[in-house]
Amino acid sequence: MPTFKTIDDLDVQGKYVLVRSDLNVPMKDGQITDSTRIQRSAKTLTELAQKGAKVVVMSHFGRPKGERVPAMSLRPVASALSTATGCPVTFAEDCIGVPAKTVVNGMGQGDIVLLENLRYHSQEEKNDPDFARALAELGELYVNDAFSTSHRAHASTEGLAHLLPAAAGRLMQAELEALGRALERPEHPVAAIVGGAKISTKLDLLGNLVQRVDLLVIGGGMANTFLHAQGIQIGKSLCEKEMAETARTILDKAEKSRCTVVLPTDVVVADSLSETAGRQVVPVQSVPEDKMILDIGPDSARALSDRLASFRTLVWNGPLGAFEIKPFDAATNLVARAAADLTRKGNLLTVAGGGDTVGALANAGVQDQFSYVSTAGGAFLEWLEGRDLPGVKALEA
């Protein structure tokens, strides 16, 4: 676990504090459809404002690729950010230059300014030194509160940290501490649940986890590839047959690391991914040729739920089945609720994130009942893969 400074290490009163947040929220017809990231970012911004800082907020929004795309302006976010922080938020028409400086220079202690989309400038994603310096001119201190973007070495996530005294914001701090407790200094035994469609997208993750956890549960479409690699017929199920040898290699690596790999013993099959499709539960050795596996079976789900009681730490990435379509969310829901119950009792530390995981836990009604749920997609996965994240490494004390 890297050591890093936090807001507690900064004297922010009266100082211009540049805060890199992730306000890249989903929006439709100019209206925010999910304000989770705004709500989570508000804690750091509110604390800094209450301490008398002049808070200058930076974020990207969408992929404008260096162009001023009106639909990707952060202007609509300003009012939502004001509501979340309880402070008026002034919007600057650009993130550098005269438009930004004019608004920033007019700030008083406790004020909050939101700069326009960083990615209106192509230099942001190139980590251009001149662009980083232009941003640095707006502040005296730098706080990175956007773990979700810290797997990319951009000017606002990596470059700035070398130009100004830098620290982690509260959201970044919480994320790093949660991940540290889950994988770097966990309380054993440790279990990991990894689901999702393709093994090819999670090779590094699986390779890293089998060396760190005591139990690895594989679900979702990728479980089909592991079953196929063991000679089990899986009908018309999603499967990366060309990855069979890779799957066997991962199983061998797990055995050498004394990590137990769990695959489903029964599965839910149907002839199509539809709520009205005829479905049945069969042992994995009896999947009909004309059916596809769409969820792990009830026996497998119950056995896994019971087994979690003997573990102290759980890392979860990816659903166990096609949870978007009922009733193929049944196994994910059952196991998620069992994990949440153990968490509430103080028996299990649960850290989840990446991909569809947040949606799957929300569907199960337990998103707020895990120890920590990360909204970071790529950054969460790269951390699980054991990679250094440039935005985090730049904060190391």
Side-chain angles (χ1 to χ4, degrees):
M1 180 72 180
T3 57
F4 53 90
K5 291 183 178 180
T6 70
I7 292 173
D8 297 323
D9 300 303
L10 301 179
D11 178 10
V12 302
Q13 185 173 5
K15 302 285 182 61
Y16 290 98
V17 182
L18 280 171
V19 182
R20 179 49 160 106
S21 300
D22 183 2
L23 305 177
N24 187 32
V25 294
M27 194 175 296
K28 184 177 182 181
D29 300 325
Q31 299 297 314
I32 296 167
T33 58
D34 183 352
S35 62
T36 301
R37 284 180 171 172
I38 294 174
Q39 298 295 331
R40 286 192 167 193
S41 298
K43 182 176 182 180
T44 292
L45 306 180
T46 302
E47 181 178 345
L48 289 170
Q50 290 174 345
K51 289 182 175 180
K54 301 172 185 178
V55 186
V56 183
V57 188
M58 307 171 290
S59 180
H60 73 286
F61 188 82
R63 299 178 182 276
K65 299 181 180 179
E67 302 292 333
R68 292 188 71 90
V69 181
M72 296 182 188
S73 172
L74 277 168
R75 179 179 284 279
V77 176
S79 59
L81 194 60
S82 178
T83 300
T85 59
C87 304
V89 175
T90 304
F91 183 70
E93 298 291 342
D94 205 343
C95 60
I96 59 172
V98 174
K101 288 180 180 179
T102 299
V103 176
V104 170
N105 289 341
M107 296 178 72
Q109 293 188 25
D111 287 351
I112 300 177
V113 164
L114 174 62
L115 303 179
E116 182 57 284
N117 193 344
L118 290 161
R119 291 186 184 174
Y120 276 181
H121 298 266
S122 61
Q123 300 98 316
E124 156 67 1
E125 294 183 84
K126 296 175 182 176
N127 199 7
D128 181 81
D130 291 335
F131 183 70
R133 281 191 287 270
L135 291 173
E137 289 177 4
L138 302 174
E140 299 168 88
L141 302 171
Y142 168 71
V143 170
N144 190 344
D145 207 30
F147 176 83
S148 53
T149 66
S150 291
H151 59 312
R152 299 290 180 256
H154 292 171
S156 67
T157 58
E158 202 272 344
L160 265 176
H162 301 294
L163 299 175
L164 298 172
R170 295 305 186 202
L171 182 56
M172 172 76 85
Q173 179 184 351
E175 191 103 29
L176 294 178
E177 289 175 350
L179 293 177
R181 291 195 305 272
L183 273 187
E184 295 189 358
R185 51 179 191 283
E187 185 175 352
H188 286 268
V190 182
I193 295 175
V194 180
K198 296 182 177 181
I199 182 177
S200 58
T201 63
K202 298 189 177 182
L203 285 176
D204 292 339
L205 183 153
L206 294 171
N208 187 44
L209 286 180
V210 295
Q211 300 177 86
R212 291 174 173 264
V213 305
D214 305 293
L215 181 78
L216 175 62
V217 179
I218 300 176
M222 69 170 60
N224 302 337
T225 302
F226 279 87
L227 293 172
H228 167 74
Q230 295 180 323
I232 296 173
Q233 300 302 311
I234 56 171
K236 297 194 303 180
S237 306
L238 174 68
C239 178
E240 294 177 286
K241 294 183 178 180
E242 72 280 5
M243 301 297 293
E245 185 58 36
T246 301
R248 287 189 286 267
T249 299
I250 291 172
L251 292 173
D252 289 341
K253 189 174 183 179
E255 184 177 0
K256 292 175 182 176
S257 300
R258 297 183 180 179
C259 170
T260 302
V261 176
V262 174
L263 293 166
T265 57
D266 65 330
V267 290
V268 179
V269 299
D271 51 15
S272 66
L273 181 55
S274 165
E275 289 187 16
T276 59
R279 61 189 175 88
Q280 62 187 116
V281 178
V282 299
V284 289
Q285 294 85 0
S286 305
V287 176
E289 291 183 2
D290 61 342
K291 304 290 184 182
M292 61 180 72
I293 300 170
L294 295 173
D295 198 8
I296 70 172
D299 286 347
S300 298
R302 282 192 293 269
L304 175 54
S305 297
D306 293 341
R307 196 167 189 172
L308 288 180
S310 62
F311 286 80
R312 297 295 296 160
T313 305
L314 172 66
V315 179
W316 191 326
N317 171 249
L320 296 170
F323 80 96
E324 302 92 341
I325 305 295
K326 296 181 184 300
F328 306 115
D329 60 347
T332 300
N333 291 348
L334 180 67
V335 177
R337 289 164 187 164
D341 183 58
L342 290 168
T343 305
R344 286 193 301 272
K345 293 176 180 176
N347 297 330
L348 185 67
L349 173 75
T350 46
V351 176
D356 294 326
T357 313
V358 177
L361 297 183
N363 182 69
V366 299
Q367 182 180 356
D368 298 326
Q369 298 173 36
F370 272 44
S371 305
Y372 192 83
V373 177
S374 172
T375 58
F380 184 85
L381 286 175
E382 290 195 18
W383 184 279
L384 292 186
E385 291 167 1
R387 299 191 196 182
D388 283 334
L389 307 187
V392 173
K393 193 165 184 62
L395 294 178
E396 291 184 13

